[in-house]
């Protein structure tokens, strides 16, 4: 089954200002480990960058750039988006279809917005979804910490079965590991 890794909104304007997202550095480290394994396995890596006119996420601005520690390679695809849905008006689905992708591995920022929306949309479009369970994050909210939001989404998104394709939440180290599980 053809697979692709989608890294959502890991951008300077979202990760550099304080307070930073929950476990920001550990999340970036896990994403780097996952994307390194993906490239070694010939799995495409896609970086999605959110943009807004003006402000800290204006296209081409320092805040729009990928987070400074994030390891991107020349062959990685970059996609721009303007909504929480990485598919909406972005060309993501065309790229995945061009590679005959059937399974997407999703990680990045923000758990309860762009990650959640993209997981649901991917399943609705017929893709099997693997959520890198410890490689997505968000900021603490008044009602819940970033850690609790991640735990909640890792538990609830896999319970959605009405789309048809399977949604699973798997720790980053087990995805595309040396046994090529989830490849």
């Amino acid at each position: 089954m053809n697979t692709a890794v989608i890294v959502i909104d890991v951008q300077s304007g979202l990760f550099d200002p304080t307070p930073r997202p929950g476990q920001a550095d550990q999340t970036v480290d896990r994403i780097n480990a996952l994307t390194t394994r993906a490239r070694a396995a010939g799995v495409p890596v896609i970086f999605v960058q959110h943009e807004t006119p003006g402000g800290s996420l204006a296209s081409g601005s320092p805040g729009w750039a990928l987070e400074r520690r994030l390891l991107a390679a020349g062959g990685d695809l970059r996609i721009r988006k303007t909504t929480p849905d990485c598919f909406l008006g972005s060309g993501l689905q065309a790229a995945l279809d061009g590679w005959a992708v059937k399974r997407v591995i999703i990680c990045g920022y923000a758990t309860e917005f762009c990650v959640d929306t993209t997981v649901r949309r991917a399943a609705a479009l017929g893709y099997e979804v693997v959520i890198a369970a410890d490689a997505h994050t968000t900021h603490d909210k008044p009602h819940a910490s970033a850690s609790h939001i991640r735990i909640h989404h890792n538990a609830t998104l896999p319970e959605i079965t009405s789309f048809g394709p399977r949604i699973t939440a798997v720790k980053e180290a087990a995805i595309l590991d040396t046994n090529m599980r989830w490849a």
Side-chain angles (χ1 to χ4, degrees):
M1 182 177 289
N2 290 341
T3 301
V5 174
I6 302 171
V7 182
I8 303 171
D9 298 350
V10 181
Q11 296 169 251
S12 293
L14 300 168
F15 275 68
D16 290 348
T18 54
R20 298 182 71 216
Q23 297 186 351
D25 291 336
Q26 299 93 326
T27 299
V28 171
D29 290 344
R30 290 178 188 122
I31 291 169
N32 285 337
L34 174 59
T35 57
T36 297
R37 285 193 309 277
R39 289 183 202 99
V43 171
V45 175
I46 303 164
F47 289 96
V48 180
Q49 290 168 265
H50 192 87
E51 62 185 38
T52 55
S56 66
L57 295 180
S59 179
S61 72
W64 183 76
L66 295 177
E67 197 272 349
R68 62 184 159 41
R69 293 181 52 245
L70 197 61
L71 302 176
D76 297 338
L77 180 62
R78 302 253 185 127
I79 297 220
R80 298 158 64 160
K81 71 173 180 68
T82 58
T83 73
D85 180 349
C86 289
F87 289 92
L88 185 61
S90 70
L92 176 58
Q93 186 174 5
L96 296 174
D97 290 349
W99 289 317
V101 167
K102 301 293 181 202
R103 176 188 298 127
V104 292
I105 300 166
I106 296 178
C107 58
Y109 179 90
T111 300
E112 75 282 23
F113 294 117
C114 301
V115 171
D116 177 278
T117 301
T118 302
V119 165
R120 292 170 190 261
R121 180 72 184 274
L125 290 170
Y127 297 101
E128 179 182 339
V129 179
V130 177
I131 304 163
D134 52 355
H136 62 93
T137 189
T138 193
H139 280 86
D140 288 342
K141 303 295 188 275
H143 68 282
S145 68
S147 176
H148 283 113
I149 294 168
R150 183 189 324 187
I151 290 166
H152 171 81
H153 282 73
N154 286 339
T156 58
L157 288 170
E159 294 298 316
I160 300 171
T161 59
S162 58
F163 290 124
R166 182 172 62 152
I167 300 171
T168 55
V170 179
K171 287 193 175 200
E172 164 272 318
I175 302 170
L176 299 169
D177 69 4
T178 55
N179 295 322
M180 296 309 295
R181 291 186 317 156
W182 302 103

